[in-house]
Amino acid sequence: KAGVTQTPRYLIKTRGQQVTLSCSPISGHRSVSWYQQTPGQGLQFLFEYFSETQRNKGNFPGRFSGRQFSNSRSEMNVSTLELGDSALYLCASSQGLAGELETQYFGPGTRLLVL
Amino acid sequence: AQSVTQPDIHITVSEGASLELRCNYSYGATPYLFWYVQSPGQGLQLLLKYFSGDTLVQGIKGFEAEFKRSQSSFNLRKPSVHWSDAAEYFCAVGATGANNLFFGTGTRLTVIP
């Protein structure tokens, strides 16, 4: 079974621009979560999508948004980029079973550099 | 609120030596605990997890971890380290029905030949 895939793997943007990152979960997985990893703040949860709905949200400003499509693929968008948004963005997928504690499987990440 | 502490930022061991990486958690209910490993420029790979039952859990690559409720700890161990184990290791705590993991700050492992 193919793992979680993320595109693109690397991105360079300038301040003020916006960016869209894509994540394709493991086949059959319906939950997709996004995390931001930076040297200063470590790994932080952004949000989770399940059945095209945001099910859980971390403590990030509204510039960070996401969506999920009917095939469970997810996109994450960051508007009005700031230098501090430079990070590795990781996507994780799981089956999405309600009320269950699940194992999340992570993709390789998209490394975003904001200049 | 959940939180995870990994007290060791960086550990250096010789190849063949034993390894223990520390993890302490804070969580009001039964914790669900994970160890992930990250190689440079890569995503996170699951090493092992504890949901319930036997407090000593076995994982991939010869790793094991022991859940100690009295000490709020979930330390990762390996009896003999290989050079390929050099990476960053993250401990995380999760909750039922919520796919938002709380991660520790990570421990970077260097293996000396």
Side-chain angles (χ1 to χ4, degrees), chain A residues 17-19 28-29 36 50 62 75 78 91 94 96 103 105 113 115:
Chain A
Q17 288 187 307
Q18 73 160 10
V19 67
H29 284 191
Q36 182 196 64
F50 175 78
E75 288 182 347
V78 188
C91 164
S94 64
T103 300
Y105 297 90
L113 177 62
L115 302 176

Side-chain angles (χ1 to χ4, degrees), chain A residues 10-84:
Chain A
Y10 303 93
L11 265 179
I12 300 175
K13 293 285 187 180
T14 56
R15 278 183 302 173
Q17 288 187 307
Q18 73 160 10
V19 67
T20 299
L21 313 181
S22 181
C23 171
S24 293
I26 292 171
S27 177
H29 284 191
R30 297 170 63 195
S31 168
V32 173
S33 297
W34 289 89
Y35 293 83
Q36 182 196 64
Q37 185 178 24
T38 60
Q41 299 299 316
L43 278 152
Q44 293 184 287
F45 172 77
L46 280 155
F47 32 64
E48 179 205 5
Y49 283 86
F50 175 78
S51 289
E52 303 178 60
T53 302
Q54 190 180 85
R55 188 161 70 171
N56 213 344
K57 187 178 187 306
N59 189 25
F60 277 82
R63 300 185 298 107
F64 292 82
S65 63
R67 60 178 175 168
Q68 187 179 36
F69 301 94
S70 58
N71 62 357
S72 295
R73 188 177 70 86
S74 177
E75 288 182 347
M76 190 193 97
N77 183 274
V78 188
S79 62
T80 319
L81 283 166
E82 300 177 359
L83 295 179

